Amino acid sequence: MTKRSSVFALALAALAALAPTLALAGEGEGLLDANTHLTDRASLQRGASLFMNYCSGCHSLKYLRYGRMGDDLGLTEKQVTENLNFTGAKNLDHINVAMNPAEAESWFGKTPPDLSLEARSRGPNWIYTYLKSFYVDESRPSGWNNTLLPNAAMPNVLWQLQGSQDAVTEPKHGNEPCEKGEVEGKCIKDLALDPNRVGQMTPAEFDQAARDISAFLQYAGEPAAMEREYWGWKVVLFLAFFTFLAYLLKHEFWRDVH
Ligand code: HEC
């Protein structure tokens, strides 16, 4: 092996160590980029709080325990009990819903799914896009529809934060199916905030809230990934440094041989 190719091989090995961090890239088309960071603890803490306040009434995280979440997010047991646990569950309990699933089904026509593995099956970008894609649709039982999950049984639970969005339509092009669904025979082109029903948050603040929830669900899907992201770059830096040392050493050894 030449000097250059061995350095190259070592660089490749360093890249391979990065693979778990990079594996999250490359999700579906047409999704907004959630731009989540598992190393951003404040974002995960806000996401946990939003999830517990706005989602946990219907959705469980059955593989995650309150205690583990507290440890991972840097919260004390007291903080978790007082701010994030609304069901009186114990610290070692999993995050379940208070609602009875059969009841939920009779209300929504569908049981709200457990979201533990949602970020792994759909990806954080999907969740982020979904939370931003609700619009008013009086023809639906909940009064809401969603461009990413047409005819979703879930109402827009964040509308007071976001404000309410209306569909902006355009005529259909022949028989081509509408990309984002249709209303009254027209294709949905875009969603626009209703100026008479604005939210408590600015659009930028709402994006951040949706990002925080997506990040929290990404964490909940794989608590170990957070440690990996934490160590990933440190391992790569170490390998890069080590490669450099090995290169210098090799240079030194071979200097007199030629
Ligand atoms: C009032 C009950 C209720 C609340 C509160 C609620 N959801 Fe839902 N959610 C549902 C129902 C019902 C479905 C099933 C939708 C369907 O498949 O039509 C659903 C579906 C979903 C899905 C899609 C699952 C899939 O892959 O098809 C995601 C993601 C989701 N909810 C996230 C959230 C988040 C995040 C929150 C909090 C901000 C939340 N939900 C709050 C009832 C609820």
Side-chain angles (χ1 to χ4, degrees):
M1 235 204 288
T2 66
K3 219 180 277 171
R4 230 182 236 147
S5 71
S6 60
V7 170
F8 183 67
L10 275 166
L12 266 186
L15 261 185
L18 238 196
T21 320
L22 295 176
L24 278 170
E27 280 168 10
E29 304 253 315
L31 295 180
L32 303 167
D33 184 1
N35 199 12
T36 52
H37 297 285
L38 293 182
T39 43
D40 185 347
R41 202 175 243 192
S43 168
L44 294 178
Q45 290 176 349
R46 289 191 304 264
S49 165
L50 286 162
F51 181 87
M52 293 305 168
N53 279 289
Y54 290 96
C55 321
S56 70
C58 292
H59 294 285
S60 54
L61 292 173
K62 64 181 179 194
Y63 298 118
L64 187 61
R65 295 173 197 271
Y66 285 95
R68 163 104 209 220
M69 174 183 72
D71 289 348
D72 288 342
L73 269 49
L75 302 166
T76 63
E77 190 172 336
K78 188 158 176 273
Q79 285 172 317
V80 172
T81 310
E82 287 176 2
N83 306 312
L84 297 175
N85 180 346
F86 304 131
T87 58
K90 303 239 167 28
N91 207 38
L92 282 178
D93 284 347
H94 292 104
I95 301 175
N96 290 316
V97 272
M99 201 194 314
N100 154 350
E103 226 166 56
E105 173 139 19
S106 74
W107 287 347
F108 305 110
K110 225 169 188 180
T111 310
D114 179 81
L115 293 182
S116 308
L117 301 178
E118 182 71 15
R120 275 164 88 175
S121 59
R122 299 277 210 184
N125 291 352
W126 193 94
I127 298 171
Y128 178 75
T129 309
Y130 176 65
L131 292 176
K132 282 169 55 73
S133 298
F134 282 95
Y135 64 95
V136 173
D137 182 349
E138 302 300 349
S139 73
R140 300 289 310 156
S142 72
W144 297 97
N145 208 329
N146 190 288
T147 51
L148 186 61
L149 189 69
N151 299 334
M154 173 175 145
N156 183 7
V157 295
L158 298 176
W159 83 269
Q160 279 161 313
L161 304 182
Q162 183 187 26
S164 106
Q165 297 192 117
D166 291 319
V168 180
T169 55
E170 61 184 354
K172 278 181 114 167
H173 302 291
N175 286 333
E176 274 180 51
C178 302
E179 220 176 277
K180 299 180 173 177
E182 51 185 275
V183 246
E184 292 163 4
K186 291 184 185 155
C187 286
I188 296 176
K189 190 172 76 177
D190 220 339
L191 298 179
L193 264 184
D194 178 345
N196 297 318
R197 295 175 80 197
V198 293
Q200 294 157 8
M201 290 181 165
T202 64
E205 284 168 349
F206 182 74
D207 286 355
Q208 185 61 46
R211 173 173 308 117
D212 294 340
I213 295 174
S214 309
F216 173 68
L217 288 176
Q218 185 180 352
Y219 150 73
E222 204 185 353
M226 202 166 73
E227 280 162 49
R228 219 163 50 210
E229 187 158 317
Y230 176 80
W231 284 108
W233 288 105
K234 293 181 178 64
V235 169
V236 169
L237 281 181
F238 172 78
L239 282 178
F241 176 65
F242 183 77
T243 307
F244 179 64
L245 275 189
Y247 174 76
L248 287 184
L249 209 62
K250 187 173 180 228
H251 204 67
E252 195 57 36
F253 283 159
W254 286 82
R255 197 211 299 267
D256 304 325
V257 176
H258 298 295

